[in-house]
Amino acid sequence: MVIIASNFKTNHTRQSTKEFVSFVNDYLKKNSIKNEIIVFPTATSLDTFNTVPNLRLGTQNAYATIKGSFTGEIGTSQLDEFGIKTILIGHSERRHILGETQEQIAQKFNFYKELGYKIIYCIGEPLEVKEQGLEKTLEYIYEQFVGIDTNYENLILAYEPVWAIGTGVTATSDDIVNVHNAIKKKISKPLLYGGSVKVDNVKEICSLNNVDGALIGTASWNKEDFIEIIEKTK
Ligand code: 2PG
């Protein structure tokens, strides 16, 4: 079974999300799919997905708290209102743009692990590390597992090379397989690839050795393309 996860990031309004949901709903009512589909919409549109069957809803982020004084954040008391038990942790945009440290990421991971959340945990190297070769790339990636329980039963990993995210530059099959094989030797968890996955390459990427699915941003924001991605990988 292939896992397809869609990360809306800061895209779509409530209105356009409703249109997306209605389109996806129509498709899912008429088509049976074996894939696991996970969508991470913006926090303001989480409720618009309530009507979609066979689709797991996740939060792109949340603070390691039930509630409290953490301006701008959301905690589990808010997530519970939407029945959300899935979270994306360690995404490169949170690491590199929002400045989350490995320590903060590990703290968040442990908090959500204790609550039994399904965690999609992202790892991946920047370009200057990739250019130093596979060994350095793996060293960098393994540092991103510090403080993370890789035996956690509800863990899904996503390898997302930073240089491939939102750039249109997809990693080559060799790049993907080399890293995926090495990670899988150490950690036997579902491992997705993410970084400029597109309608045209999703099938090939998902059929590579040790690739269990894809975490997709840009290419999944258009409702027709989202369905085409599901069709191509079912
Ligand atoms: C990312 C990827 C997938 P894109 O940032 O994680 O979510 O985005 O597909 O746009 O490279």
Side-chain angles (χ1 to χ4, degrees), residues 7 9 91 93 160 164-167 194-197 215-219 221:
N7 177 9
K9 307 191 181 187
H91 190 280
E93 285 155 12
E160 299 207 314
I165 294 178
T167 58
S196 297
V197 174
L215 174 55
I216 309 172
T218 317
W221 301 336

